[in-house]
Amino acid sequence: FSTILNPVGSSWTVELVLVAICVAIAILLRNWLKRPSNYPPGPLGIPGLGVIPFLSTFPQREFLKWSKKYGPMFSARFGLQKWVVLNDYDSVVQTLVKNSQSFHGRPSIRLFIETWTPLGIVFSTGGTIWKTHRNFGTRAVRSINQNSMEETINIEIKEYVARLGEHSGTSVDIHEILIHAVANVFCTFNLGKRFDYDDEKFNLLVKCILNEKHTHPAGFNPTIFRLTFPLCRNKLSKVERSVINEISIAGIVRQVVKDSTDKIETEDKNMMNSYLNKSLSIASSIEGYTTEDTVGFFTDLFIGGTETLTSQLRWGFLTMALHPEYQTRVRCEIDDVIGRNGTAKLSDQSKMPFTRAVIAELLRFRTLGPLSLPRAAVKDVTVQGYKIPKGTNVFLNAWGLHNDEKIWETPHLFIPDRHLDPDGNFVSSKYILPFGAGVRSCLGENLARAELFLVFVATLQNFELSVDENKPPSLDEGRSGIIYTPNPFNLIINQR
Ligand code: HEM
């Protein structure tokens, strides 16, 4: 060793190098231990790695545990990155709602920037293009009135019930049929047309969503890992790039955008046409805006709106099959309010407290986005007395909020009655935040809630769901990525 360091044999060179190494380590340690004044407390972790070695594949669990020790808003380093984790309602409101504009960013996650081509709204780091997408999206979603939303969803439900009926009496994985229905609702609102279930292009889209890999490898653990270790990132993101590109959803959307641009109409027939009209006129005023941004926007809506809803409904049907007593209670309510052959309306919700309680409990019990989507502070800001510097990333631990024993008794159990008052009325809880909070909360929340209700009700109205008693699927087996999806499972469905 000394020959390498000291080829010429002078001892002071060795000493000098050793001193330099010690100084470098001391500086690194000092920087590691240094925190801005009034910064939220948190676990120190290991220099260079932060808390990564202490996280499981379900990090929200460790986060909730740490929040008991360091407080509901605590800080942690993932590698060299500074993060703050919010674990209770107050810290979420104070941070993401009251200081909405300061936290409208998302971290610049290279993984998404490299693989999510083109970058649309969901992983946009913020700024003018995100604002344009967001403003337009919000207005477009608001402009869909309840009647047309109901009508469009119910048209799809008819087809979906008929397809499911073909499997009556058998054990089947309903994932693909469900995606067809949910994706077609998206297509009707956004592209202005629904597709036949046998349409080649449509089936390709459905297959892309079925390719569950795209939700898994991009999960937060690997993401954090790759952010920290560039070499691993490059190696792994190659796999992901091929998966995501293979998905080719963007490719199909690009073609539809092109077709629509070619015959753009002044009349706002659907969201895409309307968006294209608008984007063409604003493109010249926004630096760097291209039609690829439009493609990204619609690709995000498609992925964000299809896989999420489908997974939440799959969790719901599995839960009902494993809890026949609740399934029967929902069905009795459906029969009373809608009847065996009636079509559910959104307004029926006010007369169906137990069904609402089941859906609310489902959103709590199987939180689809356990860590919501990460945010970033776009400026220095003080929250609850803590200083959070610009560039700090933020996790909303929605799973933690939904499983906090201070709020929920036996949170690991599915108990819809906790959402009913003594008179049986549904009571909505502010402590359930499945759609995030603040200016970047879910753009499709209203549509998602409407679809959840209508598809859930139609399924239980028409079918009895059960599982193979010999090897029942488990509610504890899911894949934790960006979203928490159930593993593939079969249900025995019997038409009533
Ligand atoms: C059960 C269904 C759904 C769940 C649980 C869900 C959940 C979420 C969550 C947690 C976020 C991040 C919010 C935040 O950062 O605070 C999000 C964002 C988003 N969601 Fe959803 N979502 C669902 C359905 C949908 C649907 C149907 C659509 C589309 C029509 C949609 C479009 C979006 C978009 C575009 C964003 C990004 C908004 C932005 O970054 O400004 N989601 N969603």
Side-chain angles (χ1 to χ4, degrees):
F1 177 67
S2 72
T3 338
I4 299 168
L5 286 176
N6 185 20
V8 285
S10 53
S11 73
W12 64 266
T13 318
V14 179
E15 279 155 19
L16 211 64
V17 171
L18 287 176
V19 167
I21 291 173
C22 289
V23 169
I25 291 175
I27 292 174
L28 276 178
L29 268 178
R30 192 178 145 267
N31 281 346
W32 182 257
L33 293 170
K34 197 171 104 192
R35 292 171 182 238
S37 59
N38 284 348
Y39 193 60
L44 273 180
I46 294 172
L49 293 174
V51 295
I52 289 178
F54 307 104
L55 296 177
S56 66
T57 51
F58 212 67
Q60 45 277 19
R61 242 184 227 131
E62 285 84 55
F63 292 164
L64 183 60
K65 236 185 260 162
W66 292 341
S67 75
K68 304 293 169 204
K69 181 168 178 193
Y70 299 104
M73 181 197 289
F74 70 81
S75 64
R77 278 209 178 95
F78 304 130
L80 297 176
Q81 292 206 336
K82 291 195 196 87
W83 285 74
V84 162
V85 186
L86 311 172
N87 295 275
D88 78 344
Y89 178 76
D90 282 344
S91 62
V92 171
V93 170
Q94 292 304 324
T95 311
L96 302 184
V97 181
K98 296 248 161 85
N99 284 291
S100 228
Q101 292 307 330
S102 307
F103 289 96
H104 90 263
R106 293 226 192 269
S108 169
I109 297 183
R110 277 192 67 131
L111 169 70
F112 296 130
I113 292 174
E114 282 170 15
T115 57
W116 208 267
T117 41
L119 197 66
I121 177 172
V122 176
F123 296 112
S124 160
T125 51
T128 318
I129 293 180
W130 167 75
K131 273 194 186 128
T132 308
H133 287 326
R134 182 81 201 189
N135 287 342
F136 178 80
T138 309
R139 255 181 284 137
V141 171
R142 278 199 197 129
S143 70
I144 306 173
N145 69 41
Q146 185 153 312
N147 289 347
S148 76
M149 195 186 282
E150 205 171 81
E151 200 183 312
T152 304
I153 298 169
N154 278 330
I155 289 173
E156 274 325 306
I157 284 177
K158 257 200 190 135
E159 178 84 25
Y160 155 78
V161 167
R163 296 273 167 168
L164 268 192
E166 290 168 12
H167 299 272
S168 181
T170 66
S171 168
V172 62
D173 183 346
I174 67 168
H175 196 172
E176 192 165 340
I177 299 175
L178 203 51
I179 290 188
H180 271 93
V182 173
N184 243 344
V185 171
F186 166 88
C187 293
T188 309
F189 283 129
N190 295 290
L191 314 183
K193 62 172 182 178
R194 66 176 299 278
F195 290 88
D196 193 83
Y197 277 36
D198 303 319
D199 186 283
E200 212 177 293
K201 240 187 216 173
F202 185 52
N203 271 313
L204 181 58
L205 280 179
V206 168
K207 289 253 150 36
C208 297
I209 294 292
L210 268 175
N211 182 351
E212 58 187 357
K213 286 189 214 124
H214 82 270
T215 55
H216 185 62
F220 286 123
N221 259 0
T223 302
I224 290 165
F225 200 76
R226 239 151 298 142
L227 279 167
T228 318
F229 305 107
L231 286 178
C232 301
R233 185 188 66 216
N234 287 343
K235 196 160 166 239
L236 288 172
S237 72
K238 238 187 201 170
V239 178
E240 277 145 3
R241 192 176 297 132
S242 70
V243 172
I244 305 247
N245 283 348
E246 213 180 277
I247 287 175
S248 59
I249 291 175
I252 295 170
V253 173
R254 191 174 290 115
Q255 187 56 46
V256 183
V257 168
K258 189 177 171 308
D259 292 351
S260 306
T261 318
D262 289 347
K263 49 178 171 42
I264 201 146
E265 297 162 31
T266 41
E267 189 192 344
D268 286 351
K269 276 203 162 165
N270 57 54
M271 189 167 169
M272 186 175 282
N273 245 333
S274 162
Y275 192 80
L276 284 171
N277 268 322
K278 189 179 156 69
S279 66
L280 286 181
S281 65
I282 55 173
S284 52
S285 62
I286 297 181
E287 208 189 322
Y289 190 96
T290 69
T291 46
E292 279 299 283
D293 291 301
T294 309
V295 172
F297 176 69
F298 283 101
T299 306
D300 274 9
L301 286 191
F302 186 77
I303 297 175
T306 309
E307 181 60 3
T308 45
L309 260 171
T310 310
S311 298
Q312 194 75 69
L313 283 163
R314 287 172 66 228
W315 279 125
F317 297 143
L318 182 56
T319 310
M320 288 298 96
L322 292 169
H323 289 280
E325 69 285 13
Y326 295 137
Q327 192 183 151
T328 306
R329 278 173 73 186
V330 172
R331 196 169 288 117
C332 285
E333 203 172 64
I334 293 172
D335 288 351
D336 280 354
V337 176
I338 303 161
R340 287 287 293 265
N341 300 312
T343 302
K345 294 190 289 298
L346 291 171
S347 57
D348 292 330
Q349 289 179 91
S350 59
K351 293 170 262 165
M352 301 174 72
F354 187 68
T355 307
R356 289 179 82 188
V358 164
I359 293 174
E361 179 67 350
L362 182 66
L363 290 166
R364 181 200 71 79
F365 175 69
R366 281 298 168 264
T367 306
L368 210 68
L371 290 173
S372 206
L373 283 177
R375 299 285 191 83
V378 293
K379 48 179 144 156
D380 292 346
V381 54
T382 301
V383 182
Q384 294 186 312
Y386 291 125
K387 277 193 183 150
I388 300 180
K390 176 180 173 181
T392 307
N393 299 328
V394 179
F395 269 138
L396 186 179
N397 185 2
W399 182 89
L401 212 66
H402 299 171
N403 285 274
D404 192 339
E405 285 175 344
K406 274 200 316 222
I407 298 169
W408 311 101
E409 208 176 300
T410 52
H412 60 288
L413 299 180
F414 182 81
I415 309 176
D417 292 272
R418 59 172 112 232
H419 305 282
L420 297 177
D421 70 11
D423 297 325
N425 300 310
F426 172 68
V427 185
S428 162
S429 169
K430 65 178 183 181
Y431 299 111
I432 304 181
L433 288 176
F435 297 99
V439 282
R440 285 203 88 152
S441 65
C442 178
L443 191 65
E445 177 171 350
N446 283 349
L447 179 61
R449 286 191 185 277
E451 262 187 277
L452 269 179
F453 174 75
L454 294 174
V455 178
F456 189 76
V457 163
T459 308
L460 296 194
Q461 181 187 33
N462 289 283
F463 302 96
E464 274 169 17
L465 309 178
S466 57
V467 290
D468 179 351
E469 294 292 338
N470 295 321
K471 41 177 188 44
S474 167
L475 274 170
D476 295 323
E477 284 165 19
R479 307 193 72 181
S480 189
I482 297 175
I483 59 173
Y484 183 49
T485 54
N487 283 344
F489 63 88
N490 273 19
L491 289 178
I492 301 170
I493 54 169
N494 279 301
Q495 193 132 25
R496 293 177 71 209

